[in-house]
Amino acid sequence: MSAAQTAPVRSKAFLAASRLGAGFGTSLAKLSREPLGMFGFIVLAVLIVVALFAPLIAPFSPTAQNLPNALQAPSWTHWAGTDEFGRDILSRLIYGTRITVQTVFAVTIIVGPIGMLIGIVAGFVGGRTDAILMRITDIVLSFPSLILALAFAAALGAGLETAIIAISLTGWPPIARLARAETLLVRNTDYVAAARLYGASPLRLLFRYIAPMCIPSVVVRLTMNMAGIILTAAALGFLGLGAQPPAPEWGAMISSGRKFMLDNWWVAVMPGVAILITSLAFNLAGDALRDILDPRHDRS
Amino acid sequence: MKEFSVIELAKRVGQLLVSLFALLVVTFVIGRLLPTDPVGAIVGELADPATFAAMRARLGLDLPVYQQFWIYFTSLLQGDLGTAVLTGNPVVQDLSAAFPATLELATLAVIISTLLGVPLGMMAAFFRDSWIDKLVRVLSLVGHSIPVFWFGIVGLVIFYATLNWVGGPGRVDVYLEGLVEPKTGLLLIDSLLAGDTEVFWNAVYHIILPACILAYSAMAYITRMTRSFTLEQLNQDYVIAARAKGASNWRIVSGHLLPNIAVQLITVLAIAYGGLLEGAVVTEVVFSWPGIGQYMTNALMIGDMNAVVAATLIIGIIFMVLNFLSDLAYLLLDPRTREATT
């Protein structure tokens, strides 16, 4: 077995793995024809930068109270106004990006690999394993996810970590289904057969030859999921089951602003705008990614 | 063909039962995950070990887990879900009192979202890439991205506090509460049955905003799906043939398109309905709507796990049964699925 023989096999798997990175220029060109998608990516880039450099960007402390200054309407000093403790809402929103980004990525990092593992094993092994795994997937898929997340968060005790776990528990099935479908597509291709003939072990086949092929569509799906994660996390926060005060969690901020909504609308409205823009950006970015990475998909 | 349907039906029923059993297991686990010891909560931290043990035995916590599950399962079959800490009533009684309010809200929302969403989705498909298609795309994108509880608050600030077009939180104004005898529990129907138009219009005035807010999030989904179903059909030969025969757009929609996408639409509506029941939970909190969502969140706050588990179970069961019914509709009403699977 010479290096020249293995090269094509290798490069095919490699190609799949780098489908995300490969043709970056053409992807960017495609993206520039999608102004909405471009907008989504820009917002997300801003979000991450803001989360990373929150202390440098925020004009005020997110937690320092200034009671004489409470419930000030938006002004040049406080762009988004102040809350009932005189805290600058914009600064709290800026620090809140950290909680949002953390939640979204934590859930994604939990849900992505679990879903992929279940999906590719089911698709690759087939038979009874496939039937059992997919049956479990379908059952979890048929659960009302928000309600279960609520119940789990209540049972485990409120907090950011439990919110993350609660959201993840019902988040993996769509990924598993997708990974299984992709695995079924590539399972019988020539390059996998070739790798098998060369004596690649099942594990090696799974992780070096099949899993990489599933990554592009899984990444698309995960990106589109992120919008839903933000909304669920905000709902948990709103009900007091997410990050605890004084942490500037957006959903919790809406909840506390609700008491003043009739006279001081900005306290509840501003965090909602932040949630809306972020979740919109994830949706737009997900749509655009799908168009770029998944040529089979027809926008209809 | 007929026989096949029966086998398929039995299979689906079996799957539903397995799913329901899984839901039971999950809720059982949730009920026992509680970080605080339920025994300690009842007898107090300082109680002597004998009292502790007695209470453990009374709650059945000294039994093996499978026996505890069996007790949970059998009492559930007898309609016993325990007592709610908050109200002191049996949870089942509380839930059946709260459920009609949720049902009323979600049903009105699904009606509104269907009446708006289906025509909008069809128009978007008919006039693809026109301004209306773009408008529909933006509307459904925002609908997918908006936190529904926040939208409710904004709606209250604008339409209740500022414009005073709609009623505030609650099902009716306080002075009208309890005037109508609850027969169905659905206030709109009860007030009509009692012939009390004042309560009826007041109830309409109160339900319209939360129903519209909930409907919007469902509409985003219904519109998008209707659009893609319609697009699929528009390229079919029979539509082109109908066009060639000179059928009007209206005739094509009512005579050809709707019957062809009806079954797919039913599935979508069932899923949307289930989603609305879930969405109602947070919306009810915003609108102080005395339904299951409000009940469940109140129970969450004080860690009343009997009530939380029961509410989860009820919503879960409805959710699964809706999914099952939509599957069934697909199987029974659409001859194409039968052909495709045999």
Side-chain angles (χ1 to χ4, degrees), chain A residues 46-58:
Chain A
V46 170
L47 182 80
I48 290 169
V49 170
V50 167
L52 284 176
F53 299 106
L56 301 177
I57 297 168

Side-chain angles (χ1 to χ4, degrees), chain A residues 29-296:
Chain A
K30 271 189 193 171
L31 191 59
S32 62
R33 270 179 274 132
E34 284 271 344
L36 280 176
M38 197 71 172
F39 170 77
F41 279 109
I42 291 171
V43 171
L44 294 187
V46 170
L47 182 80
I48 290 169
V49 170
V50 167
L52 284 176
F53 299 106
L56 301 177
I57 297 168
F60 296 90
S61 152
T63 47
Q65 301 189 2
N66 181 3
L67 291 176
N69 210 12
L71 296 171
Q72 298 286 312
S75 63
W76 283 114
T77 350
H78 299 286
W79 288 6
T82 62
D83 68 5
E84 72 272 31
F85 296 113
R87 298 175 296 199
D88 179 50
I89 292 180
L90 180 67
S91 303
R92 285 178 67 71
L93 290 178
I94 288 172
Y95 273 90
T97 55
R98 296 186 149 189
I99 299 176
T100 304
V101 170
Q102 205 183 327
T103 312
V104 166
F105 283 103
V107 172
T108 304
I109 285 169
I110 296 173
V111 156
I114 292 179
M116 254 186 87
L117 188 68
I118 293 177
I120 57 176
V121 168
F124 183 68
V125 178
R128 192 166 286 176
T129 314
D130 182 28
I132 293 173
L133 285 177
M134 281 303 109
R135 198 67 212 112
I136 295 173
T137 307
D138 283 348
I139 289 173
V140 179
L141 206 58
S142 71
F143 285 157
S145 50
L146 177 63
I147 302 293
L148 269 195
L150 283 180
F152 266 113
L156 296 169
L160 188 58
E161 291 82 8
T162 49
I164 290 170
I165 295 171
I167 300 172
S168 306
L169 279 172
T170 52
W172 57 268
I175 308 295
R177 275 198 162 178
L178 188 69
R180 175 178 175 268
E182 294 280 319
T183 305
L184 289 180
L185 281 180
V186 295
R187 184 174 66 169
N188 297 322
T189 49
D190 290 346
Y191 83 90
V192 173
R196 206 188 298 248
L197 282 177
Y198 279 126
S201 69
L203 273 184
R204 192 177 162 81
L205 279 178
L206 264 185
F207 290 107
R208 296 280 312 213
Y209 294 86
I210 292 177
M213 293 299 279
C214 304
I215 287 178
S217 47
V218 165
V219 166
V220 170
R221 186 64 210 223
L222 284 172
T223 314
M224 296 171 94
N225 270 3
M226 288 176 177
I229 295 170
I230 289 178
L231 292 183
T232 312
L236 287 176
F238 177 72
L239 296 174
L241 295 170
Q244 294 300 300
E249 200 274 328
W250 294 348
M253 287 170 71
I254 296 180
S255 171
S256 61
R258 195 157 73 95
K259 287 170 238 149
F260 320 101
M261 66 181 176
L262 299 185
D263 303 311
N264 313 97
W265 55 268
W266 58 90
V267 187
V269 169
M270 294 301 182
V273 174
I275 298 173
L276 175 61
I277 291 176
T278 314
S279 126
L280 199 60
F282 273 112
N283 269 327
L284 290 170
D287 274 356
L289 261 188
R290 180 184 58 193
D291 292 347
I292 294 168
L293 290 181
D294 194 352
R296 276 165 301 177

Side-chain angles (χ1 to χ4, degrees), chain A residues 146-158 235-242 244, chain B residues 30 34-36 84-86 281-282 285 292-312 315:
Chain A
L146 177 63
I147 302 293
L148 269 195
L150 283 180
F152 266 113
L156 296 169
L236 287 176
F238 177 72
L239 296 174
L241 295 170
Q244 294 300 300
Chain B
I30 290 175
L34 208 62
T36 54
V85 176
L86 197 63
V281 171
V282 266
V285 175
I292 289 197
Q294 169 98 314
Y295 181 73
M296 182 177 174
T297 36
N298 283 341
L300 286 175
M301 298 303 157
I302 60 160
D304 181 354
M305 286 319 280
N306 273 347
V308 171
V309 165
T312 311
I315 297 177

